[in-house]
Amino acid sequence: MRRFAAPLLLALALTPGAVSAHGEAPRAAHGGLMQEAQELWVELVVKGADVAVYVVDHDRKPVPATQISGTATVLVGGQSYKVELSAAGSEGVQGKLPAPVTGGVVAIVALKVGGKAVSARFTGKA
């Protein structure tokens, strides 16, 4: 019986998404896509050529924009564009694509939140 304990624990530890310490994703306050990323929740909103990213902490409170910086790499019409994100109001960061997104979104967001590296991958309608 003991010889099965270690492989079972290893398998459970390596199973992605089996158990989330933070429960279900919070409601997307800005109508975007939500993704859990390094103990935070990241929301991506893409409307036309505008890209906005919002971050909430594990208590589901917004992280101030002054603590967020980074980039979003967005696939538009088979072309990949890297967008620098800068503060947009008090809660989010934003940037602008050279071409509008129509249909689904494929994006990778790489952020520094309070000095900590955070990344998330998004696919879907944002």
Side-chain angles (χ1 to χ4, degrees):
M1 185 85 146
R2 279 187 181 195
R3 65 184 174 147
F4 296 111
L8 177 62
L9 289 174
L10 180 61
L12 288 173
L14 295 177
T15 303
V19 177
S20 175
H22 306 313
E24 290 185 35
R27 181 183 63 80
H30 304 92
L33 298 170
M34 294 297 292
Q35 191 66 257
E36 186 175 18
Q38 293 85 13
E39 300 182 13
L40 298 168
W41 288 97
V42 179
E43 179 181 5
L44 173 70
V45 179
V46 179
K47 291 184 181 171
D50 296 323
V51 177
V53 176
Y54 304 91
V55 180
V56 295
D57 64 18
H58 63 280
D59 292 326
R60 304 187 187 214
K61 295 196 184 333
V63 174
T66 57
Q67 295 181 20
I68 306 168
S69 64
T71 61
T73 303
V74 183
L75 189 63
V76 179
Q79 180 75 28
S80 178
Y81 296 101
K82 190 172 192 174
V83 178
E84 290 292 326
L85 301 169
S86 58
S90 62
E91 293 183 9
V93 291
Q94 69 181 7
K96 196 146 189 90
L97 292 163
V101 174
T102 58
V105 171
V106 176
I108 297 174
V109 175
L111 304 172
K112 286 272 188 180
V113 180
K116 179 180 174 182
V118 175
S119 66
R121 186 177 193 287
F122 298 88
T123 56
K125 181 77 172 141

